[in-house]
Amino acid sequence: MATGSVEDAEDRSRSRSVAFRFVLLFGAVSFFADFAYEGARSIVGPYLAVLGASATAVGMVAGFGELIGYALRLLSGRISDRTRRFWLLTLFGYGISMAAVPLLALASNWPFAAGLLLLERLGKAIRNPPRDVLLSHAAKEIGYGWGFGLHQALDQCGALIGPLLVAGVLAVQKEYPPAFALLLLPALMTLGLLLVARLLYPQPEAAKVTLLDLKAKELPGVFWIYLVAAALVAAGFADFALMSYHFVKAKTVPAPWVPLVYAAAMGVSGAASLVFGWLFDRVGLVLLIPLTVVSSLFAPLVFLG
């Protein structure tokens, strides 16, 4: 009995160790992915303005991009569930996104740039559901809040450094295309690390996670309440592309400083993800209530402040 207990403890320790390394590796993937995308996102608004886009066009591009990025996850999630090709869809989605970002350097008009931005959102819609399935296997072993919080923190570190690099390039070059072109490097790192993760962990489900096979009619009432709340939060969401466009047009923030503002926001988000991920494992869903109330103040502060 004692021997069995020791062996079980060793198995659990080994599973947690493997899961932790997988989360770290995927965190590195997300670090470079957000390095590339968020670096681009930090200057998309002013860039579209330079290319001749109106505020309406920027808002529509940003809004439609988010619609694609979220609505198509339903389709991607369904396909990944049915085919079980989690890695294939993840690789395909990242490939689309990481190709679109540096190509923004070649945009000569705002519709072309808008098309690339929508393509990036399409890639994210394809990759996120299967990627989260892969991560969930590992997060189960080390705690969902800690696992996803750690991953998000690394993700946000990339989202912090990317805009800082872009700000540096803008300070030197005074033009947007070189900044987008430089983002090819983190894009390539993203794809390289993703391939390494695929080779090292071809079956993350080996972490012995039991998944629930839930049908829509079996979902609890609280799920639908949460879904409505999330939809209402999303309805009040404004993409940073529109915010940065407003900053430049209203002259509230100098154009070279815009990516620095975005970097600061990403830094706060990264630190908060670790803290609140840890708290979520202990407090639960109620933690989202005060966080939602505080974050809702962004609109008047940004557009009326």
Side-chain angles (χ1 to χ4, degrees):
M1 181 67 70
T3 301
S5 298
V6 171
E7 291 177 350
D8 289 343
E10 290 178 349
D11 286 343
R12 288 194 297 271
S13 177
R14 191 178 302 111
S15 293
R16 285 194 294 269
S17 178
V18 170
F20 183 72
R21 290 197 299 271
F22 180 75
V23 171
L24 280 180
L25 183 54
F26 234 113
V29 170
S30 292
F31 171 88
F32 284 106
D34 267 40
F35 190 130
Y37 171 67
E38 302 294 1
R41 192 182 187 191
S42 68
I43 55 172
V44 159
Y47 187 49
L48 290 174
V50 168
L51 293 175
S54 65
T56 300
V58 173
M60 290 184 66
V61 170
F64 191 57
E66 293 304 316
L67 176 63
I68 291 175
Y70 286 97
L72 291 185
R73 294 184 194 191
L74 292 172
L75 178 60
S76 174
R78 179 62 64 88
I79 292 174
S80 63
D81 279 341
R82 289 190 173 184
T83 64
R84 315 302 291 177
R85 298 294 185 88
F86 300 118
W87 271 118
L88 179 62
L89 289 169
T90 300
L91 287 164
F92 183 57
Y94 271 106
I96 292 175
S97 293
M98 293 302 102
V101 169
L103 284 175
L104 284 165
L106 304 179
S108 58
N109 54 72
W110 75 261
F112 180 60
L116 290 173
L117 292 172
L118 296 180
L119 192 63
E120 192 284 330
R121 293 288 85 185
L122 173 63
K124 188 167 187 176
I126 293 172
R127 77 180 188 243
N128 271 24
R131 182 206 65 185
D132 287 348
V133 170
L134 295 173
L135 277 172
S136 70
H137 292 297
K140 173 69 174 180
E141 294 297 309
I142 62 176
Y144 286 118
W146 172 238
F148 280 97
L150 177 60
H151 173 265
Q152 184 67 15
L154 291 169
D155 183 293
Q156 293 303 125
C157 284
L160 168 64
I161 296 175
L164 290 177
L165 177 65
V166 165
V169 174
L170 284 179
V172 174
Q173 297 291 332
K174 312 297 183 183
E175 293 182 346
Y176 292 104
F180 288 115
L182 190 61
L183 295 176
L184 175 63
L185 297 178
L188 292 176
M189 285 295 298
T190 298
L191 298 178
L193 286 172
L194 193 61
L195 289 173
V196 170
R198 171 64 179 84
L199 292 173
L200 293 179
Y201 304 98
Q203 294 180 309
E205 60 270 24
K208 302 178 183 177
V209 178
T210 301
L211 298 177
L212 296 177
D213 184 19
L214 291 176
K215 306 297 182 182
K217 63 181 180 181
E218 299 172 349
L219 293 171
V222 68
F223 170 81
W224 299 107
I225 295 174
Y226 176 81
L227 198 63
V228 171
L232 292 174
V233 170
F237 174 78
D239 194 88
F240 189 75
L242 185 59
M243 294 185 203
S244 58
Y245 183 97
H246 171 75
F247 290 155
V248 173
K249 288 295 185 179
K251 298 182 179 180
T252 56
V253 178
W257 287 30
V258 169
L260 297 178
V261 172
Y262 192 70
M266 294 300 100
V268 171
S269 179
S273 66
L274 278 177
V275 174
F276 293 120
W278 180 83
L279 283 174
F280 181 84
D281 283 336
R282 288 152 180 79
V283 178
L285 200 62
V286 69
L287 179 65
L288 298 182
I289 297 175
L291 295 180
T292 301
V293 172
V294 171
S295 63
S296 67
L297 299 176
F298 88 92
L301 292 175
V302 167
F303 295 105
L304 300 178

